[in-house]
């Protein structure tokens, strides 16, 4: 598809749904930030959203983001780029250099690598601690029981911990996971919650999400990655 006008329409529709969900939940208008997840999509597909004024984007791979975002950031001012995918410690410098928010901090080793990179580069991206609320073997994130300790470690290391992030199990009712994440955040004095994707972001707003990460509903289906 060469005509990307659908992106603008999808973006407007998602924003309208977020506003409606905020209102329905009795939340302040504009209290939920839409992180438009542009992973796998190229610059041509992302541009209509940038041209429409949207500035907050999510990518899950450092290398892929390095390939397209420096150029887009140079053209469009005020872009806020979120890393939402697993981060290897050897990519920590690259992540700190490019991203404005790192949502996938999930283990002590990564906390320390990020702290070193931030010191070295003089940049301090905001961080979310990712929690594996479903305790799935294959999924990134710290276990719910380890969350308090990891938050404390990240704070001690000097990271700017702003909130928690989760990806509920694909086949479970997400609201239980959203409620658990909200509880864990509250008891750690954290006010930001990154939760909710294309299929469940309205539910997430009802459970207190401050950030929803929406890809497919804006940019369309992704090519299947094996
Ligand atoms: C891909 C991805 C999303 C967006 O998922 P959609 O279902 O396409 O909205 C959100 N969060 C994370 C961590 C992702 O990797």
């Amino acid at each position: 598809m060469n005509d990307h006008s659908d992106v603008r329409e999808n973006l407007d529709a998602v924003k309208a749904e977020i506003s409606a969900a905020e209102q329905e939940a009795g939340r302040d208008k504009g209290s939920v930030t839409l992180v438009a997840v542009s992973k796998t999509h190229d610059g041509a597909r992302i541009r209509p959203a940038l041209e429409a004024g949207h500035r907050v984007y999510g990518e899950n791979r450092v290398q892929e983001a390095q390939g397209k975002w420096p150029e887009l950031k140079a053209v469009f001012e005020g872009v806020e780029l979120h890393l939402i995918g697993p981060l290897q410690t050897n990519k920590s410098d690259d992540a700190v250099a490019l991203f404005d928010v790192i949502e996938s901090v999930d283990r002590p080793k990564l906390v320390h690598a990020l702290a070193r990179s931030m010191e070295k580069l003089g940049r301090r991206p905001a961080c979310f601690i990712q929690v594996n609320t479903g305790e799935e073997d294959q999924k990134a994130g710290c276990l719910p029981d380890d969350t308090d300790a990891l938050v404390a470690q990240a704070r001690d290391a000097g990271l700017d911990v702003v909130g928690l992030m989760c990806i509920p199990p694909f086949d479970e009712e997400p609201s239980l996971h959203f409620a658990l994440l909200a509880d864990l955040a509250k008891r750690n004095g954290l006010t930001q919650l990154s939760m909710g994707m294309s299929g469940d972001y309205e539910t997430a707003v009802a459970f207190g999400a401050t950030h929803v990460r929406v890809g497919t509903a804006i940019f369309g289906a992704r090519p299947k990655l094996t």
Side-chain angles (χ1 to χ4, degrees):
M1 193 173 10
N2 300 318
D3 172 14
H4 298 293
S5 59
D6 58 319
V7 170
R8 173 74 190 255
E9 286 163 29
N10 294 342
L11 180 67
D12 288 345
V14 169
K15 288 191 166 177
E17 300 226 13
I18 290 171
S19 287
E22 283 170 343
Q23 193 165 13
E24 190 156 335
R27 309 257 322 259
D28 288 344
K29 195 169 166 46
S31 56
V32 179
T33 298
L34 170 61
V35 181
V37 177
S38 49
K39 65 186 185 194
T40 78
H41 297 290
D42 62 12
R45 186 114 186 108
I46 303 168
R47 269 175 179 266
L50 284 160
E51 279 157 7
H54 193 73
R55 286 296 177 269
V56 187
Y57 293 85
E59 291 281 345
N60 68 334
R61 286 165 198 247
V62 174
Q63 216 169 345
E64 182 191 336
Q66 281 175 321
K68 58 189 173 187
W69 278 101
E71 190 187 329
L72 294 170
K73 273 187 159 188
V75 179
F76 296 93
E77 260 177 61
V79 166
E80 183 183 298
L81 201 55
H82 290 228
L83 177 62
I84 60 171
L87 177 58
Q88 296 171 330
T89 50
N90 64 4
K91 298 255 176 69
S92 169
D93 281 1
D94 292 338
V96 167
L98 180 62
F99 289 91
D100 305 291
V101 180
I102 297 176
E103 297 202 17
S104 48
V105 181
D106 66 353
R107 58 198 191 279
K109 197 175 161 205
L110 180 58
V111 163
H112 296 299
L114 286 169
R116 276 193 300 274
S117 298
M118 289 180 194
E119 177 80 11
K120 180 167 140 191
L121 299 172
R123 260 179 73 79
R124 200 158 229 73
C127 293
F128 287 74
I129 302 293
Q130 182 176 351
V131 184
N132 183 0
T133 56
E135 306 191 22
E136 296 171 280
D137 286 339
Q138 77 285 8
K139 200 166 269 178
C142 70
L143 294 173
D145 282 349
D146 297 338
T147 305
D148 299 357
L150 189 59
V151 169
Q153 278 174 317
R155 283 171 167 157
D156 283 350
L159 266 56
D160 179 18
V161 183
V162 298
L164 302 182
M165 181 270 241
C166 77
I167 309 168
F170 183 68
D171 54 356
E172 284 183 29
E173 168 60 39
S175 53
L176 298 171
H177 297 273
F178 297 156
L180 170 60
L181 198 72
D183 261 9
L184 291 169
K186 194 171 175 199
R187 77 176 190 218
N188 281 285
L190 294 167
T191 54
Q192 301 190 37
L193 292 169
S194 175
M195 55 192 199
M197 316 195 340
S198 290
D200 55 17
Y201 65 90
E202 289 142 298
T203 308
V205 170
F207 280 84
T210 58
H211 294 72
V212 293
R213 309 177 309 268
V214 180
T216 309
I218 297 169
F219 296 107
R222 289 179 290 271
K224 230 198 170 85
L225 303 170
T226 46

